[in-house]
Amino acid sequence: MTEKLLISLTVNGRRHDDLVIESRYTLVDVLRHHVGLTGTHVGCEHGVCGACTVLLDGAPVRACLIFAAQAEGREIRTVESLSHGGELNDLQRAFSACHGLQCGFCTPGFLMLAEGFLAERPDATREEIREVVSSNLCRCTGYQSIVDAIEQCARGRREAQGEAR
């Protein structure tokens, strides 16, 4: 017999009440199949590839390694939170400009990893960016264009903050 749970999740600022799920469901399962946000991809399901990376209370996590019930009461952000009104955010635009998208399967994970990382380390060096992206897997090409995109976005955000001061 499978135990059912009634949980509420806050995803991208919107509360989703009355989610009836099996206790064994991972966060990525519930995001994709119960909340309807399919931007978070399922890759290895072992926490190795990073395709399922989302932000949990602002920190990048592998959604395939967390039970959905563990995310109750916490703020979840998925790749769908990045664009506003159909407009790409600065990080997404940088990935496009630097050709960091490649086949696109791993891109949502890289975007959320970078979003969480830049929030914590807005002055990150290129070497620090290279180190953080090494935690996610991309089978298409090298990581150079992804590092370029994150570095370009970080530089743009720093310049924008300098202008705002």
Side-chain angles (χ1 to χ4, degrees):
M1 182 168 156
T2 304
E3 181 183 357
K4 297 272 186 176
L5 301 173
L6 175 64
I7 66 169
S8 298
L9 296 177
T10 303
V11 184
N12 302 333
R14 182 170 169 233
R15 189 173 166 92
H16 298 268
D17 291 319
D18 303 328
L19 295 170
V20 179
I21 63 167
E22 293 184 20
S23 59
R24 64 181 175 88
Y25 285 179
T26 64
L27 180 57
V28 72
D29 291 333
V30 173
L31 290 172
R32 291 181 59 83
H33 303 295
H34 293 266
V35 179
L37 297 175
T38 57
T40 304
H41 290 171
V42 180
C44 66
E45 298 185 77
H46 297 287
V48 175
C49 74
C52 66
T53 302
V54 299
L55 300 182
L56 189 63
D57 293 335
V61 297
R62 310 287 205 221
C64 71
L65 295 180
I66 297 173
F67 291 115
Q70 292 175 294
E72 190 167 30
R74 303 173 75 182
E75 181 64 36
I76 303 158
R77 282 187 63 201
T78 68
V79 69
E80 287 89 350
S81 72
L82 297 179
S83 65
H84 297 283
E87 296 289 324
L88 300 178
N89 82 347
D90 57 347
L91 181 60
Q92 292 169 309
R93 288 192 306 273
F95 266 67
S96 178
C98 296
H99 307 286
L101 302 170
Q102 299 161 47
C103 85
F105 187 81
C106 64
T107 303
F110 274 108
L111 286 168
M112 297 315 291
L113 177 69
E115 185 74 8
F117 176 68
L118 291 178
E120 185 177 311
R121 300 269 307 130
D123 296 325
T125 66
R126 185 171 181 82
E127 190 58 35
E128 291 170 326
I129 294 168
R130 290 175 57 88
E131 185 175 331
V132 80
V133 300
S134 70
S135 65
N136 280 27
L137 298 178
C138 172
R139 294 182 173 191
C140 293
T141 65
Y143 292 71
Q144 193 68 34
S145 57
I146 294 170
V147 172
D148 291 344
I150 296 169
E151 186 176 40
Q152 177 180 310
C153 179
R155 185 174 41 254
R157 287 180 180 181
R158 285 192 302 268
E159 289 171 3
Q161 283 195 337
E163 292 172 7
R165 291 182 189 164

